[in-house]
Amino acid sequence: MTINRSNATLWFVTLAATLLAIETWISRSTALAVAAQRDVLGTVITLDITLGIPLLYYFLLARRNYAPKIGMMTAAVVSLVAVRLLLPTEYWSGTRVLEAVVPLIEISVLALVAVRIRPILRHIREAGAVEIY
Protein backbone atom coordinates (compact mmCIF):
# COMPACT_ATOMS: atom_id res chain seq x y z
CA MET A 1 0.00 0.00 0.00
CA THR A 2 1.39 3.35 -0.98
CA ILE A 3 0.88 6.26 1.32
CA ASN A 4 -0.50 9.32 -0.38
CA ARG A 5 -1.51 12.64 1.16
CA SER A 6 -4.98 11.56 2.33
CA ASN A 7 -3.72 8.23 3.69
CA ALA A 8 -0.88 9.96 5.55
CA THR A 9 -3.31 12.43 7.09
CA LEU A 10 -5.62 9.61 8.12
CA TRP A 11 -2.71 7.69 9.64
CA PHE A 12 -1.56 10.78 11.53
CA VAL A 13 -5.01 11.49 12.98
CA THR A 14 -5.56 7.82 13.86
CA LEU A 15 -2.18 7.35 15.54
CA ALA A 16 -2.37 10.67 17.39
CA ALA A 17 -5.86 9.85 18.69
CA THR A 18 -4.69 6.39 19.71
CA LEU A 19 -1.70 7.85 21.55
CA LEU A 20 -3.93 10.33 23.36
CA ALA A 21 -6.45 7.61 24.26
CA ILE A 22 -3.78 5.27 25.64
CA GLU A 23 -2.11 7.99 27.67
CA THR A 24 -5.45 9.17 29.04
CA TRP A 25 -6.34 5.60 30.02
CA ILE A 26 -2.98 5.19 31.75
CA SER A 27 -3.36 8.45 33.65
CA ARG A 28 -6.85 7.54 34.83
CA SER A 29 -6.00 3.93 35.72
CA THR A 30 -6.13 3.51 39.49
CA ALA A 31 -3.72 0.55 39.54
CA LEU A 32 -0.98 2.52 37.83
CA ALA A 33 -1.65 5.63 39.88
CA VAL A 34 -1.20 3.70 43.11
CA ALA A 35 1.80 1.67 41.92
CA ALA A 36 3.81 4.50 40.35
CA GLN A 37 4.84 7.88 41.58
CA ARG A 38 2.45 10.47 40.24
CA ASP A 39 5.17 12.97 39.36
CA VAL A 40 7.16 10.46 37.34
CA LEU A 41 4.08 9.07 35.63
CA GLY A 42 2.83 12.58 34.81
CA THR A 43 6.19 13.57 33.36
CA VAL A 44 6.41 10.41 31.25
CA ILE A 45 2.87 10.86 29.92
CA THR A 46 3.57 14.52 29.18
CA LEU A 47 6.75 13.69 27.28
CA ASP A 48 5.03 10.89 25.37
CA ILE A 49 2.33 13.22 24.12
CA THR A 50 4.42 16.36 23.55
CA LEU A 51 7.14 14.49 21.68
CA GLY A 52 4.99 11.79 20.09
CA ILE A 53 2.48 13.95 18.24
CA PRO A 54 5.04 16.30 16.62
CA LEU A 55 7.18 13.29 15.64
CA LEU A 56 4.15 11.60 14.09
CA TYR A 57 3.43 14.83 12.20
CA TYR A 58 6.99 14.97 10.95
CA PHE A 59 7.35 11.36 9.85
CA LEU A 60 3.90 11.00 8.29
CA LEU A 61 3.27 14.45 6.82
CA ALA A 62 6.16 16.92 6.83
CA ARG A 63 8.97 14.60 5.73
CA ARG A 64 7.01 13.58 2.64
CA ASN A 65 6.08 17.20 1.88
CA TYR A 66 2.38 16.51 2.41
CA ALA A 67 2.26 19.33 4.97
CA PRO A 68 4.53 22.26 5.84
CA LYS A 69 7.32 21.63 8.33
CA ILE A 70 6.31 24.66 10.35
CA GLY A 71 3.20 22.69 11.30
CA MET A 72 5.37 20.74 13.74
CA MET A 73 5.42 23.82 15.95
CA THR A 74 1.64 23.95 15.85
CA ALA A 75 1.50 20.25 16.65
CA ALA A 76 3.79 20.82 19.65
CA VAL A 77 1.61 23.60 21.06
CA VAL A 78 -1.59 21.62 20.43
CA SER A 79 -0.07 18.59 22.17
CA LEU A 80 0.76 20.74 25.21
CA VAL A 81 -2.84 21.93 25.32
CA ALA A 82 -4.03 18.33 24.96
CA VAL A 83 -1.88 17.27 27.91
CA ARG A 84 -3.43 19.96 30.10
CA LEU A 85 -6.95 18.98 29.03
CA LEU A 86 -6.55 15.20 29.29
CA LEU A 87 -4.43 14.73 32.40
CA PRO A 88 -5.84 15.03 35.90
CA THR A 89 -4.41 17.95 37.89
CA GLU A 90 -2.20 15.74 40.07
CA TYR A 91 -0.13 14.84 36.98
CA TRP A 92 0.53 18.44 35.87
CA SER A 93 4.00 18.70 37.39
CA GLY A 94 5.61 17.71 34.09
CA THR A 95 3.68 20.31 32.11
CA ARG A 96 4.93 23.25 34.15
CA VAL A 97 8.44 22.71 32.86
CA LEU A 98 7.30 22.37 29.26
CA GLU A 99 5.19 25.52 29.42
CA ALA A 100 8.44 27.45 29.25
CA VAL A 101 8.95 25.97 25.78
CA VAL A 102 5.85 27.63 24.31
CA PRO A 103 7.37 31.15 24.20
CA LEU A 104 10.48 29.68 22.58
CA ILE A 105 8.31 28.04 19.93
CA GLU A 106 6.54 31.34 19.28
CA ILE A 107 9.85 33.21 18.99
CA SER A 108 11.18 30.61 16.58
CA VAL A 109 8.04 30.91 14.43
CA LEU A 110 8.46 34.69 14.30
CA ALA A 111 12.14 34.30 13.40
CA LEU A 112 11.28 31.81 10.66
CA VAL A 113 8.66 34.16 9.23
CA ALA A 114 11.14 37.06 9.33
CA VAL A 115 13.78 35.00 7.53
CA ARG A 116 11.31 33.93 4.84
CA ILE A 117 9.92 37.44 4.33
CA ARG A 118 13.29 39.06 3.56
CA PRO A 119 13.75 37.41 0.13
CA ILE A 120 10.14 38.16 -0.76
CA LEU A 121 10.55 41.85 0.09
CA ARG A 122 13.83 41.98 -1.86
CA HIS A 123 12.11 40.44 -4.88
CA ILE A 124 9.23 42.94 -4.65
CA ARG A 125 11.68 45.87 -4.53
CA GLU A 126 13.60 44.56 -7.53
CA ALA A 127 10.42 43.90 -9.51
CA GLY A 128 8.98 47.31 -8.60
CA ALA A 129 11.93 49.08 -10.19
CA VAL A 130 11.36 47.30 -13.51
CA GLU A 131 7.61 46.79 -13.71
CA ILE A 132 4.62 48.78 -12.57
CA TYR A 133 2.59 45.72 -11.55
Side-chain angles (χ1 to χ4, degrees), residues 29-102:
S29 172
T30 56
L32 286 173
V34 171
Q37 296 175 346
R38 291 184 189 270
D39 292 339
V40 174
L41 189 60
T43 303
V44 169
I45 290 171
T46 301
L47 288 175
D48 281 348
I49 293 173
T50 56
L51 294 177
I53 292 178
L55 285 174
L56 282 173
Y57 181 88
Y58 175 74
F59 285 117
L60 292 173
L61 298 174
R63 191 174 73 161
R64 295 187 171 122
N65 290 327
Y66 294 151
K69 289 179 178 52
I70 197 167
M72 283 182 58
M73 295 178 190
T74 305
V77 172
V78 168
S79 65
L80 278 172
V81 171
V83 166
R84 293 290 267 195
L85 292 175
L86 296 176
L87 286 181
T89 55
E90 59 264 14
Y91 292 103
W92 282 7
S93 64
T95 62
R96 289 186 180 88
V97 174
L98 291 174
E99 286 174 355
V101 175
V102 174

Side-chain angles (χ1 to χ4, degrees), residues 1-12 15 56 59-66:
M1 176 174 109
T2 59
I3 295 181
N4 56 17
R5 183 181 305 255
S6 62
N7 286 344
T9 304
L10 182 64
W11 274 104
F12 169 71
L15 290 174
L56 282 173
F59 285 117
L60 292 173
L61 298 174
R63 191 174 73 161
R64 295 187 171 122
N65 290 327
Y66 294 151

